[in-house]
Amino acid sequence: MSSIRDKVAVIGVGCTKFGELYDMTYEDQVCDAAFQAYADANVDPSEIDAAYVGTYLPHAQGGKAGISLADPLRLYDRPVTRVENFCATGTDAFRNACLAVASGQHDIVLVVGSEKLKDRPGRGIPRIGHQILGKGNTAPGLFALAANRYMHEFKVGRETLAKVAVKNHWNGARNQLAHFQMEITEEQVLKAPMIATPFGLFDCCPTTDGGAAAIVCRADIASRFRDDYVLVKGAALAVATGRPYFDPTFDYVGFRSTQAAAKKAYEQADLSPSDIDFAEVHDCFTWTEISNIEDLGFCEKGKAPGLVEEGRTRVDGDIPINPSGGLKSFGHPIGASGVRMIYECVQQLRGNCGERQVKDAEIGLAHNVGGPGAVSCVVILGQR
Amino acid sequence: MTGLSSIGVYLPRPRLERSKIASAWGSRQPAGERTVANYDEDALTMAVEAAHRCLEDHEALTFDGLFFASTSSPYREKQVASVIATACDLPRAILTADFAGSVRAGLAALTAAVRAVESGSARRILVVASDCRPAPAESALEAIFGDGAVAVVVDAKARLCKFVGAAAVAEEFTFQWRTDTGDSVQVQDARFSISHGYLRDLGEVVERVMNEHGVGADQVAALAVASPDDKAAAQLARAVGIDAKTRLVPSLIPQVGVLGTPDPLLLLASALERAKAGDRIVVGAFGEGAEAVLFEAAAGAGPSACRPSIEKAIARRAPLPSYERYLKYRRILGEDETPVELISNVLEARELQQDVRLYGTRCGSCGMVQYPQARVCLACLKREALEPVKLGKNGRIFTFTVDHLAANLEHPMGMVVIDLEGGGRVYVQTTDCTPEDVQIGAEMTLTFRRLHAGGENYNYFWKARPA
């Protein structure tokens, strides 16, 4: 089996402002992100051979089937596939686009992630699933089960979790596209209203609208579009049980789907965690970032709280995590988030990130986990 | 010989001090407090709780009948006895019936069970009386009523007491009623109703059952008669010549309230806790006539007659913070949770063993117990050796959250992952507890509760309460 390493290049990216985009439709977001990417890649829409669209929650305005991308972009007579894989939707759409190129079937492929979470009544995201089993679960509540067990096992307090939120808000405050562009204090995090113990309001990512796009092509033709293209080093997905709470063997201190996807991605890239210069990881809740750092192999299980306490995950630290502001501050339009991470990785690798630029960023990693723990996707990108 | 071999008592944990009702309405109310069914409880769920206490003494497989008595069944049409039997994992081949109509139904169900066992047409019948009677706001009934359930096992062993005889009268008498469209119990002039209804009819049957079996008033060790208020039972004792001070089973109205159909069974239970073998106990109930039953205490009578003791059942309590909370629990005021879609009866039928009887799967190959029922073993990945296995009801919290976001009538709501004794891990809501009770390692018991409502139907599932 050959690796995907260096076979696919990212030649263009686009991203809308993330936030409460009450004036924009799902289709507006798809259009704005895609046309930014066209311009960034210097690609004419007629050159797109195929497209993938990632949306978690179909909406009256769009998000279901390939037409939710094809119609707003008028991108007809070619394959367009909708991808949905919980919170890994965006990165999995990107991964599928890479596979399509690597297979030799298509030369240039468009990926768009778009999500409208604010065009609906109610709080949070709607619960979909068995009407009786697990009734009462919420997204924060499900991750909180893991957080509480982890905090019990490793004697970690809410103060450590709060430092993740403070750090990601600091980064987001320096990101013009982020949903929340303000710094916060540890005290604010700890005093915020409780959502699902141990998570207060500031331990949770927001519900956000937004769209992001990327254009990938065969690596051997990438220089036709731009010199500073980015190479895909690895792209791996792994699935575990969607009902971890019924698994008597599950220790609830990390996610095997992330561990498996990361292992595969490192193998493809022929890299180890120490080669990664920065990572955009799935910080849907503050604790999730701590677990991700460990599951991605940046340190041993139980050691990430120490890294956070010591400030090593800040932009100027030795393991910068979520220099974009993360889901926490950038926002989390579910299907768009993974593609947004690709956007951020590319901007970091191009050196475009100003005050939150990671120094000497040559290899970046993007990671989504959904379910919680049911599905994870890891993408590793590097400078050409 | 036929009689009672086990008694299970269930009183819901929430209590409402009557002084809170008095201050809400600016009225005078009796002293003490009443039991209040939790927001996720009704006559059905309380009956399941009481029935499970009896199952600690008797294998589910040994029952061939279950009678349910209530004036406040959650269903006007749909048999609840069969739901209780299923939730208790009783065999399919059993006789079930709902007794309803008046608070006399509790004793009527017990007598019917005794007759069935006596005749040899049944071996062991579980009788459950349960009520959560709706009272009009600001009525006298609101303060005097209480909620609860009592289950008894009727069989030929008669471990606690043996049946001696019964007497009944039936006659139209309008005292307390609820019409087919009414949403709360109505009452006619209580003074007349007690003197010319309750005392006349109940007095008649109590005297008749004593006379028919040659038992004089001074030979009755305990008079256990349901009472519409805190005075009528003592009046009745005087009317039939039984010393109210020493022989009348003390009323539980001060701590519990008037339960309805469970009352005669609860008072019988109370009498049996104080009885010694050979004691004669007269039990009575009223309602469009009256019924009295004479029992003789057996060797099992005494302080450990009930599961749990009535004292312990009363001691498991949590006062409601306000009268308004009671109104919310009964869906009289406040915001109800968003209704869910009607659950398909296809899903219900397919998952009955898993969701109601609470069966998981055991892998014959590696031994792992898993829930919900698996198609391929989670541990050894084999498919061939999976077999249904009944899960235990007790376990410890492995992890938890107290969720303020979840759509629920009570906030916040605990969600817990529990490792059950005997294997299997479940993920359920908590109930009957405070956020402080929801901790890693805490011992919990599964309890059958109303999960949600929607499509004009109720859905029941298991939740966890502190053990």
Side-chain angles (χ1 to χ4, degrees):
Chain A
M1 191 170 61
S2 71
S3 167
I4 198 171
R5 181 174 70 246
D6 295 340
K7 289 182 177 154
V8 182
V10 187
I11 50 173
V13 287
C15 187
T16 68
K17 163 85 174 67
F18 275 23
E20 295 171 335
L21 307 183
Y22 296 124
D23 295 336
M24 290 180 84
T25 65
Y26 176 93
E27 299 195 337
D28 290 333
Q29 295 176 175
V30 169
C31 258
D32 281 13
F35 275 83
Q36 274 187 43
Y38 291 154
D40 191 46
N42 195 25
V43 161
D44 186 82
S46 64
E47 295 178 86
I48 302 292
D49 297 322
Y52 289 84
V53 58
T55 296
Y56 167 72
L57 200 64
H59 191 272
Q61 299 167 2
K64 193 133 174 80
I67 53 143
S68 55
L69 180 146
D71 266 337
L73 298 180
R74 304 297 187 210
L75 208 62
Y76 300 132
D77 305 327
R78 64 205 100 182
V80 181
T81 302
R82 176 192 165 211
V83 176
E84 189 276 301
N85 220 340
F86 285 170
C87 288
T89 295
T91 35
D92 197 16
F94 179 81
R95 186 185 71 96
N96 275 282
C98 293
L99 292 176
V101 170
S103 75
Q105 280 298 305
H106 303 298
D107 290 343
I108 304 175
V109 177
L110 170 69
V111 192
V112 178
S114 181
E115 201 83 49
K116 286 297 291 182
L117 293 180
K118 305 306 293 188
D119 283 24
R120 48 174 300 279
R123 300 189 295 171
I125 52 173
R127 184 186 180 276
I128 303 164
H130 197 285
Q131 289 166 297
I132 296 170
L133 299 178
K135 196 256 175 180
N137 76 53
T138 61
L142 286 169
F143 279 90
L145 296 174
N148 273 324
R149 187 71 206 183
Y150 181 100
M151 293 163 78
H152 172 81
E153 288 283 335
F154 297 109
K155 310 278 179 288
V156 175
R158 287 193 64 219
E159 301 74 20
T160 305
L161 272 56
K163 288 184 172 67
V164 173
V166 171
K167 182 261 295 175
N168 287 350
H169 270 265
W170 190 93
N171 294 344
R174 286 147 184 84
N175 185 339
Q176 297 300 308
L177 297 180
H179 187 160
F180 295 134
Q181 298 173 31
M182 85 284 193
E183 292 182 30
I184 55 170
T185 65
E186 196 174 314
E187 190 186 7
Q188 273 178 291
V189 181
L190 295 174
K191 284 189 173 169
M194 192 52 72
I195 300 297
T197 58
F199 301 142
L201 185 65
F202 282 100
D203 287 290
C204 305
C205 70
T207 48
T208 303
D209 299 327
I215 295 170
V216 293
C217 74
R218 276 168 37 203
D220 59 338
I221 62 167
S223 56
R224 277 170 30 197
F225 301 96
R226 60 187 307 147
D227 291 333
D228 60 346
Y229 58 85
V230 161
L231 286 168
V232 176
K233 300 289 183 182
L237 183 93
V239 169
T241 177
R243 291 168 162 178
Y245 35 79
F246 288 129
D247 178 357
T249 66
F250 184 44
D251 60 12
Y252 256 118
V253 295
F255 295 125
R256 69 189 259 195
S257 59
T258 296
Q259 293 157 12
K263 184 168 179 284
K264 189 74 194 166
Y266 290 133
E267 277 171 21
Q268 290 171 349
D270 195 21
L271 294 170
S272 71
S274 61
D275 296 317
I276 305 297
D277 296 318
F278 68 95
E280 285 290 316
V281 309
H282 198 90
D283 59 324
C284 49
F285 303 98
T286 47
W287 170 81
T288 324
E289 177 165 316
I290 289 173
S291 178
N292 294 337
I293 291 168
E294 297 164 354
D295 293 336
L296 291 166
F298 297 132
C299 67
E300 282 174 39
K301 195 44 75 182
K303 302 292 186 198
L307 300 188
V308 170
E309 294 283 350
E310 292 159 20
R312 292 172 60 189
T313 57
R314 296 196 307 238
V315 168
D316 59 355
D318 62 325
I319 311 169
I321 302 292
N322 285 324
S324 68
L327 308 183
K328 176 72 203 74
S329 182
F330 207 133
H332 185 27
I334 303 170
S337 276
V339 187
R340 187 278 298 163
M341 288 173 165
I342 303 297
Y343 172 92
E344 171 70 10
C345 285
V346 167
Q347 299 299 354
Q348 284 282 351
L349 294 171
R350 288 179 187 170
N352 287 344
C353 295
E355 203 182 344
R356 57 186 179 82
Q357 176 66 44
V358 173
K359 216 175 139 200
D360 301 327
E362 292 174 8
I363 304 281
L365 179 148
H367 159 260
N368 282 142
V369 58
V375 56
S376 296
C377 194
V378 174
V379 175
I380 300 175
L381 299 173
Q383 287 177 338
R384 62 171 291 198
Chain B
M1 190 168 67
T2 302
L4 272 55
S5 282
S6 181
I7 300 175
V9 175
Y10 178 75
L11 299 176
R13 184 170 173 269
R15 301 299 151 86
L16 180 59
E17 293 153 303
R18 297 192 175 99
S19 59
K20 288 203 165 78
I21 304 176
S23 69
W25 297 118
S27 57
R28 276 173 61 89
Q29 298 295 349
E33 61 186 19
R34 56 160 293 180
T35 53
V36 175
N38 209 335
Y39 75 96
D40 55 358
E41 293 186 295
D42 60 22
L44 184 159
T45 66
M46 293 191 294
V48 173
E49 277 271 14
H52 267 103
R53 284 155 169 70
C54 289
L55 294 178
E56 293 171 27
D57 294 326
H58 302 279
E59 285 289 328
L61 279 174
T62 64
F63 287 89
D64 51 9
L66 188 145
F67 295 163
F68 171 66
S70 182
T71 65
S72 51
S73 165
Y75 288 101
R76 189 165 292 150
E77 176 164 347
K78 181 175 160 76
Q79 197 195 60
V80 167
S82 56
V83 181
I84 299 166
T86 309
C88 291
D89 195 33
L90 300 193
R92 272 172 58 83
I94 61 168
L95 176 69
T96 55
D98 285 4
F99 288 68
S102 91
V103 292
R104 186 148 68 93
L107 195 56
L110 174 58
T111 316
V114 167
R115 300 291 191 205
V117 172
E118 211 176 26
S119 72
S121 62
R123 289 187 315 278
R124 178 169 285 156
I125 297 178
L126 189 52
V127 177
V128 200
S130 178
D131 258 320
C132 175
R133 297 163 76 204
E138 206 181 348
S139 71
L141 298 180
E142 182 177 52
I144 196 104
F145 277 2
D147 304 327
V150 178
V152 301
V153 172
V154 177
D155 64 10
K157 281 195 177 148
R159 190 178 67 85
L160 300 175
C161 63
K162 67 174 187 188
F163 172 79
V164 180
V169 295
E171 193 159 71
E172 149 65 6
F173 187 89
T174 306
F175 180 8
Q176 293 183 348
W177 73 96
R178 182 151 64 102
T179 65
D180 58 348
T181 56
D183 53 15
S184 56
V185 177
Q186 307 297 310
V187 61
Q188 283 261 23
D189 177 74
R191 198 176 159 81
F192 171 76
S193 301
I194 287 167
S195 62
H196 286 74
Y198 175 84
L199 292 176
R200 181 193 65 182
D201 294 347
L202 195 50
E204 180 183 331
V205 291
V206 166
E207 285 185 325
R208 178 138 55 88
V209 79
M210 293 193 309
N211 292 340
E212 281 176 6
H213 295 89
V215 177
D218 57 342
Q219 292 172 295
V220 172
L223 178 64
V225 287
S227 177
D229 63 22
D230 53 355
K231 295 185 192 71
Q235 290 174 264
L236 180 87
R238 279 194 292 279
V240 298
I242 292 175
D243 180 24
K245 276 211 176 69
T246 58
R247 303 296 168 87
L248 180 66
V249 179
S251 170
L252 291 163
I253 292 173
Q255 311 100 301
V256 175
V258 174
L259 299 185
T261 56
D263 278 331
L265 309 190
L266 186 62
L267 292 164
L268 170 60
S270 176
L272 285 170
E273 284 185 335
R274 299 149 210 260
K276 57 183 191 307
D279 278 0
R280 273 117 170 199
I281 302 165
V282 175
V283 185
F286 72 101
E288 294 72 46
E291 188 156 340
V293 184
L294 178 62
F295 287 103
E296 188 181 308
S304 59
C306 305
R307 279 185 181 273
S309 71
I310 293 172
E311 191 185 350
K312 271 194 180 161
I314 290 172
R316 191 189 81 104
R317 61 187 282 281
L320 288 174
S322 67
Y323 170 70
E324 289 85 346
R325 194 63 67 91
Y326 155 81
L327 295 178
K328 185 178 170 78
Y329 282 9
R330 295 287 74 80
R331 276 75 171 176
I332 294 167
L333 277 182
E335 200 174 319
D336 202 349
E337 74 175 288
T338 316
V340 298
E341 277 179 34
L342 178 67
I343 293 184
S344 155
N345 64 353
V346 177
L347 179 141
E348 284 181 341
R350 198 170 51 220
E351 296 188 356
L352 188 72
Q353 186 188 49
Q354 170 187 290
D355 297 349
V356 182
R357 291 186 188 266
L358 200 66
Y359 276 61
T361 308
R362 187 202 307 276
C363 176
S365 184
C366 74
M368 180 188 261
V369 176
Q370 43 215 300
Y371 186 86
Q373 295 188 327
R375 291 152 193 88
V376 174
C377 176
L378 190 60
C380 71
L381 310 181
K382 290 207 175 73
R383 188 179 182 190
E384 301 73 31
L386 296 173
E387 55 197 28
V389 61
K390 187 172 172 174
L391 299 184
K393 299 284 190 304
N394 299 310
R396 285 175 186 276
I397 295 178
F398 182 78
T399 189
F400 70 97
T401 185
V402 177
D403 197 321
H404 298 246
L405 186 68
N408 197 47
L409 191 126
E410 268 285 67
H411 297 286
M413 180 174 74
M415 291 294 296
V416 288
V417 174
I418 295 180
D419 285 332
L420 294 172
E421 285 170 19
R425 184 178 273 192
V426 294
Y427 171 55
V428 290
Q429 300 179 10
T430 61
T431 189
D432 285 2
C433 62
T434 62
E436 292 70 37
D437 295 326
V438 185
Q439 291 295 340
I440 288 173
E443 289 182 46
M444 305 294 276
T445 297
L446 298 184
T447 174
F448 199 63
R449 295 295 171 103
R450 200 190 274 187
L451 189 69
H452 43 44
E456 284 283 308
N457 197 10
Y458 301 123
N459 306 118
Y460 297 88
F461 189 59
W462 300 90
K463 295 189 180 184
R465 63 167 168 79

